[in-house]
Amino acid sequence: MDDASGPGHDARGQSAGADARARLAADRADTLARTAALGRDFDGIVAANALVAVDDEHDPEGASTAFERAHVAALMARAREHLEELDRALERLERGAYGRCEGCGGTIPPERLEIRPAATTCVRCAGSGRRRPRRPA
Protein backbone atom coordinates (compact mmCIF):
# COMPACT_ATOMS: atom_id res chain seq x y z
CA MET A 1 0.00 0.00 0.00
CA ASP A 2 2.82 2.42 -0.78
CA ASP A 3 0.92 4.07 -3.61
CA ALA A 4 0.57 7.86 -3.65
CA SER A 5 -3.14 7.77 -2.88
CA GLY A 6 -2.83 6.16 0.57
CA PRO A 7 -5.28 3.84 2.31
CA GLY A 8 -8.84 3.76 1.06
CA HIS A 9 -8.38 4.16 -2.70
CA ASP A 10 -8.14 0.65 -4.16
CA ALA A 11 -10.38 -2.42 -3.86
CA ARG A 12 -8.76 -3.41 -0.57
CA GLY A 13 -8.54 0.27 0.35
CA GLN A 14 -12.30 0.68 0.45
CA SER A 15 -12.38 -1.93 3.18
CA ALA A 16 -9.40 -0.29 4.87
CA GLY A 17 -11.20 3.06 4.71
CA ALA A 18 -14.30 1.55 6.28
CA ASP A 19 -12.15 -0.08 8.97
CA ALA A 20 -10.40 3.23 9.66
CA ARG A 21 -13.73 5.04 9.87
CA ALA A 22 -15.03 2.41 12.30
CA ARG A 23 -11.88 2.67 14.47
CA LEU A 24 -12.09 6.46 14.51
CA ALA A 25 -15.81 6.36 15.35
CA ALA A 26 -15.25 3.85 18.16
CA ASP A 27 -12.37 5.89 19.58
CA ARG A 28 -14.50 9.04 19.34
CA ALA A 29 -17.41 7.37 21.16
CA ASP A 30 -15.07 6.13 23.90
CA THR A 31 -13.54 9.58 24.25
CA LEU A 32 -16.97 11.24 24.43
CA ALA A 33 -17.99 8.77 27.16
CA ARG A 34 -14.75 9.44 29.03
CA THR A 35 -15.30 13.21 28.74
CA ALA A 36 -18.83 12.87 30.12
CA ALA A 37 -17.63 10.72 33.03
CA LEU A 38 -14.84 13.18 33.82
CA GLY A 39 -17.37 16.02 33.69
CA ARG A 40 -19.50 14.20 36.26
CA ASP A 41 -16.41 13.62 38.42
CA PHE A 42 -15.46 17.28 38.20
CA ASP A 43 -19.02 18.37 39.06
CA GLY A 44 -18.99 15.98 42.01
CA ILE A 45 -15.74 17.44 43.33
CA VAL A 46 -17.07 20.98 42.99
CA ALA A 47 -20.40 20.06 44.60
CA ALA A 48 -18.71 18.29 47.51
CA ASN A 49 -16.55 21.34 48.15
CA ALA A 50 -19.54 23.67 47.96
CA LEU A 51 -21.02 21.92 51.01
CA VAL A 52 -18.08 22.79 53.23
CA ALA A 53 -16.10 25.95 53.77
CA VAL A 54 -12.88 24.99 52.02
CA ASP A 55 -9.77 27.07 52.52
CA ASP A 56 -7.27 25.32 50.23
CA GLU A 57 -4.36 27.05 51.93
CA HIS A 58 -5.16 26.10 55.54
CA ASP A 59 -7.44 23.06 55.29
CA PRO A 60 -5.46 19.79 55.44
CA GLU A 61 -7.82 18.34 52.80
CA GLY A 62 -7.73 21.47 50.66
CA ALA A 63 -4.52 20.65 48.84
CA SER A 64 -5.71 17.20 47.83
CA THR A 65 -9.08 18.63 46.77
CA ALA A 66 -7.36 21.27 44.64
CA PHE A 67 -5.11 18.57 43.15
CA GLU A 68 -8.10 16.34 42.37
CA ARG A 69 -9.94 19.20 40.69
CA ALA A 70 -6.86 20.19 38.65
CA HIS A 71 -6.14 16.57 37.72
CA VAL A 72 -9.67 15.94 36.46
CA ALA A 73 -9.64 19.27 34.58
CA ALA A 74 -6.37 18.27 32.87
CA LEU A 75 -7.79 14.87 31.90
CA MET A 76 -10.87 16.60 30.46
CA ALA A 77 -8.68 18.98 28.45
CA ARG A 78 -6.66 16.06 27.06
CA ALA A 79 -9.85 14.20 26.12
CA ARG A 80 -11.12 17.30 24.27
CA GLU A 81 -7.78 17.55 22.42
CA HIS A 82 -8.10 13.90 21.45
CA LEU A 83 -11.60 14.54 20.07
CA GLU A 84 -10.14 17.32 17.92
CA GLU A 85 -7.39 14.95 16.71
CA LEU A 86 -10.01 12.35 15.81
CA ASP A 87 -12.10 14.93 13.95
CA ARG A 88 -9.03 16.01 11.96
CA ALA A 89 -8.31 12.33 11.19
CA LEU A 90 -11.87 11.94 9.87
CA GLU A 91 -11.33 15.02 7.69
CA ARG A 92 -8.10 13.50 6.34
CA LEU A 93 -9.98 10.28 5.62
CA GLU A 94 -12.61 12.22 3.63
CA ARG A 95 -9.89 14.05 1.63
CA GLY A 96 -7.99 10.83 0.94
CA ALA A 97 -5.00 12.00 3.00
CA TYR A 98 -5.53 9.60 5.92
CA GLY A 99 -2.55 7.33 6.49
CA ARG A 100 -0.02 9.76 5.00
CA CYS A 101 2.77 10.99 7.27
CA GLU A 102 2.74 14.76 7.72
CA GLY A 103 6.50 14.66 8.29
CA CYS A 104 7.88 12.76 5.31
CA GLY A 105 4.80 12.12 3.16
CA GLY A 106 5.24 8.35 3.38
CA THR A 107 2.62 5.81 4.36
CA ILE A 108 1.84 5.36 8.03
CA PRO A 109 1.88 1.60 8.69
CA PRO A 110 -1.61 0.11 9.17
CA GLU A 111 -0.48 -1.41 12.47
CA ARG A 112 0.27 2.09 13.82
CA LEU A 113 -3.12 3.35 12.66
CA GLU A 114 -4.83 0.40 14.35
CA ILE A 115 -3.23 1.39 17.65
CA ARG A 116 -3.36 5.17 17.14
CA PRO A 117 -6.14 5.89 14.63
CA ALA A 118 -5.51 9.64 14.75
CA ALA A 119 -1.75 9.32 14.10
CA THR A 120 -0.38 11.98 11.77
CA THR A 121 3.19 10.69 11.48
CA CYS A 122 5.00 7.46 10.76
CA VAL A 123 7.03 5.88 13.55
CA ARG A 124 10.32 7.26 12.22
CA CYS A 125 9.04 10.85 12.07
CA ALA A 126 7.28 10.54 15.41
CA GLY A 127 10.57 9.40 16.97
CA SER A 128 12.55 12.21 15.39
CA GLY A 129 10.01 14.89 16.23
CA ARG A 130 9.83 15.88 12.54
CA ARG A 131 6.35 17.16 11.66
CA ARG A 132 4.65 19.95 9.88
CA PRO A 133 3.40 22.80 12.06
CA ARG A 134 -0.14 22.25 13.35
CA ARG A 135 -2.98 24.07 11.68
CA PRO A 136 -4.60 26.71 13.85
CA ALA A 137 -7.77 25.51 15.57
Side-chain angles (χ1 to χ4, degrees), residues 58-132:
H58 298 99
D59 182 2
E61 294 296 317
S64 62
T65 300
F67 173 79
E68 266 185 83
R69 190 174 50 239
H71 182 73
V72 171
L75 291 172
M76 287 173 56
R78 179 60 193 121
R80 287 187 193 112
E81 282 178 25
H82 189 60
L83 282 173
E84 291 172 10
E85 291 168 358
L86 291 168
D87 288 343
R88 287 192 298 270
L90 285 165
E91 289 172 8
R92 288 192 306 277
L93 187 63
E94 292 300 317
R95 301 195 307 266
Y98 183 77
R100 284 276 155 217
C101 177
E102 291 182 352
C104 68
T107 301
I108 299 173
E111 299 82 11
R112 178 165 169 76
L113 292 171
E114 284 178 27
I115 295 167
R116 296 184 53 110
T120 59
T121 56
C122 66
V123 175
R124 183 179 50 226
C125 289
S128 71
R130 182 174 61 178
R131 348 155 77 143
R132 286 190 335 202

Side-chain angles (χ1 to χ4, degrees), residues 45-65:
I45 293 167
V46 171
N49 286 328
L51 299 175
V52 294
V54 175
D55 177 0
D56 284 359
E57 187 175 332
H58 298 99
D59 182 2
E61 294 296 317
S64 62
T65 300

Side-chain angles (χ1 to χ4, degrees), residues 4-49:
S5 60
H9 288 281
D10 59 6
R12 276 189 349 199
Q14 287 180 347
S15 172
D19 290 346
R21 188 176 316 285
R23 275 193 308 276
L24 290 165
D27 195 349
R28 195 171 196 293
D30 289 345
T31 305
L32 283 170
R34 185 171 57 251
T35 303
L38 288 166
R40 288 189 298 275
D41 290 349
F42 187 85
D43 292 345
I45 293 167
V46 171
N49 286 328

